Amino acid sequence: MSTLEEAAETAVVQCLGVEPGETCVVVTDDKRERIGEALYAAARGVTDDATILRYPPGDQHGAEPPAPVAAAMRDSDVFLAPTTKSLSHTRARSRANEAGARGATLPGITEDVFTTGLDADYTLIRRHCADVLSQVGDADEVRVTTPAGTDITFEPGDREWLQDTGIVHESGGFSNLPAGEVFVSPETANGTYVVDGTMMPHGRLDTELTFEVEDGYVTYISDDDVRAQVEDGEDEVGRAARNLAELGIGTNVAVTDLVGSVLLDEKAAGTVHIAIGDDAGIGGDTDAPLHLDGIIQNPTVYADGDEVALPSADD
């Protein structure tokens, strides 16, 4: 495991490729200040034009940050956002990328996850992403099954599969950190999925959560707490809160065990994650104030009927 300073240097130098003279903005909150300060220090080691902004933690994943924060992200060359609540699926993040800023969000990051997840060979992770993408990228239909009872079929339609490699060197590029997944916002999906890995608000699960999906919307949620989060979203945006937002495949072979952090666990090689809610930031057309990922262990993935060779921690 690396130190906080070493992990920050990996993020700034290897992953984001910050260069002298570039403007780099670190966005953090009161609960993630130490990580934010480490990233700021690493950025200052490269460029004189580094800034750190701190604000109170948001109320929900996907909630928009304060307007001055959004403006700073949009006007930067590079942004990093270690925050308690995710900025990944916000208009602030997508508009910053549209304006040409490249960046990474680190939603829900902890110091342990930061030092573990950034202690990785991101060149290798990029190769695993490319391999998975080559198998699923042109499929009309992707089916996922598990011994726990998952049997769900996704139709990507015209939606593009994306890679979260952790290497963000091009203008407008974006990644989560820690990184390592290939994902799509499908046009529709049908079936049942059983989350047996990690899901908020619970963290690492000791029981299975069951979800039923019909025509691209979640129609049944077995867990009271997750259902309450979705119902809160429904109060704000209606049926869009039940949108089946994402199918993701983990490719980070450095993640050998699930630890209860969605940010890290969804990247674990050989796992699948499925999300409910917002997908506008990942190629979909649904705006919702939530994005709830559930991590699924021991999946078998089929692309147009052919089994996909998934990476593992042994690779």
Side-chain angles (χ1 to χ4, degrees):
M1 182 183 296
S2 60
T3 66
L4 207 62
E5 293 74 22
E6 289 168 339
E9 185 173 355
T10 296
V12 167
V13 176
Q14 182 181 354
C15 294
L16 274 301
V18 177
E19 297 182 355
E22 288 193 306
T23 58
C24 181
V25 173
V26 177
V27 174
T28 191
D29 60 42
D30 297 341
K31 294 184 178 180
R32 300 294 184 267
E33 184 177 6
R34 274 175 48 84
I35 296 171
E37 291 287 353
L39 288 166
Y40 170 71
R44 282 286 288 118
V46 178
T47 178
D48 291 334
D49 201 346
T51 304
I52 184 167
L53 300 175
R54 186 180 65 162
Y55 68 101
D59 295 327
Q60 174 64 279
H61 293 294
E64 295 295 325
V69 170
M73 293 169 65
R74 186 184 62 246
D75 294 339
S76 67
D77 292 317
V78 183
F79 65 86
L80 293 111
T83 54
T84 304
K85 300 297 184 181
S86 176
L87 297 184
S88 302
H89 303 276
T90 62
R91 303 298 80 76
R93 193 280 299 168
S94 60
R95 287 168 183 163
N97 290 141
E98 289 166 4
R102 67 185 188 276
T105 56
L106 298 85
I109 192 77
T110 66
E111 292 182 25
D112 284 345
V113 169
F114 186 58
T115 53
T116 299
L118 272 297
D119 186 16
D121 180 352
Y122 279 94
T123 301
L124 177 60
I125 290 168
R126 181 165 54 182
R127 288 204 298 269
H128 284 303
C129 285
D131 178 59
V132 170
L133 183 62
S134 70
Q135 299 177 75
V136 301
D138 295 326
D140 294 321
E141 185 176 278
V142 177
R143 180 185 177 203
V144 179
T145 65
T146 69
T150 294
D151 193 343
I152 183 169
T153 299
F154 304 85
E155 296 178 30
D158 293 330
R159 305 276 178 82
E160 181 183 2
W161 283 87
L162 303 173
Q163 303 178 71
D164 183 25
T165 66
I167 305 294
V168 191
H169 293 178
E170 300 297 325
S171 176
F174 170 70
S175 179
N176 267 163
L177 288 177
E181 65 171 296
V182 173
F183 59 99
V184 69
S185 173
E187 287 191 355
T188 192
N190 288 277
T192 299
Y193 69 97
V194 180
V195 177
D196 59 354
T198 299
M199 190 166 193
M200 296 303 291
H202 303 293
R204 186 70 172 89
L205 297 172
D206 55 14
T207 188
E208 297 170 350
L209 313 182
T210 300
F211 301 79
E212 294 179 5
V213 181
E214 184 176 347
D215 295 331
Y217 290 91
V218 177
T219 57
Y220 171 79
I221 301 171
S222 67
D223 181 75
D224 292 342
D225 293 323
V226 175
R227 186 167 59 251
Q229 291 185 87
V230 174
E231 289 174 349
D232 286 345
E234 281 187 290
D235 290 341
E236 185 172 338
V237 297
R239 191 185 185 204
R242 290 183 174 268
N243 177 52
L244 197 289
E246 179 186 4
L247 165 64
I249 300 171
T251 60
N252 190 326
V253 292
V255 182
T256 57
D257 298 294
L258 302 189
V259 299
S261 162
V262 169
L263 174 64
L264 186 64
D265 293 353
E266 70 175 1
K267 311 305 190 319
T271 64
V272 158
H273 55 278
I274 298 173
I276 306 167
D278 187 271
D279 63 14
I282 57 171
D285 55 14
T286 297
D287 285 308
L290 71 159
H291 183 88
L292 302 176
D293 291 286
I295 290 89
I296 296 168
Q297 302 181 96
N298 304 310
T300 302
V301 180
Y302 303 92
D304 288 338
D306 294 327
E307 184 172 346
V308 175
L310 302 177
S312 73
D314 296 327
D315 293 338

